[in-house]
Amino acid sequence: QVQLVESGGGLVQAGGSLRLSCAASGRTFSSYAISWFRQAPGKEREFVVHISRSGGNGYYADSVKGRFTISRDNAKNTVYLQMNSLKPEDTAVYYCAAANTPYRSIREASYDYWGQGTQVTVSP
């Protein structure tokens, strides 16, 4: 019953940065693991990064490792995705997704709730 809303997308030049937010409504946010996925035009949705219910270190796709950082603030019911050194290939709609599980998963099917997405466009 968690509702997720992404924000923070926009247009940046290659090498720039954006910080995405995933704000959740509901009273059990801390019970959910959160992942970010992205979908580029004409491409399948792909896993970006995961953070556990308790926070800590994220688990990153190789394509973003070292450039993106995930964090969560359960008191604010918000997960953040700091994206640095952006590349044109990062252009996509970014979605946050929530799963009521203590386990890490990069599979879309593991996630019960999805936000509406926020557009990230990186120009050359």
Side-chain angles (χ1 to χ4, degrees), residues 33 50-53 99-106 110-111:
H50 168 274
I51 192 166
S52 72
R53 299 183 301 182
N100 186 202
T101 177
Y103 304 109
R104 178 178 64 218
S105 178
I106 65 172
S110 296
Y111 294 86

Side-chain angles (χ1 to χ4, degrees), residues 27-62:
R27 293 164 290 277
T28 58
F29 178 71
S30 63
S31 297
Y32 290 85
I34 301 292
S35 285
W36 288 90
F37 293 81
R38 67 187 183 186
Q39 187 166 27
K43 302 286 288 183
E44 295 181 18
R45 188 148 52 189
E46 66 175 349
F47 168 79
V48 178
V49 61
H50 168 274
I51 192 166
S52 72
R53 299 183 301 182
S54 58
N57 294 330
Y59 178 79
Y60 299 85
D62 287 342

Side-chain angles (χ1 to χ4, degrees), residues 25 38 60 63 84:
S25 63
R38 67 187 183 186
Y60 299 85
S63 59
N84 298 326

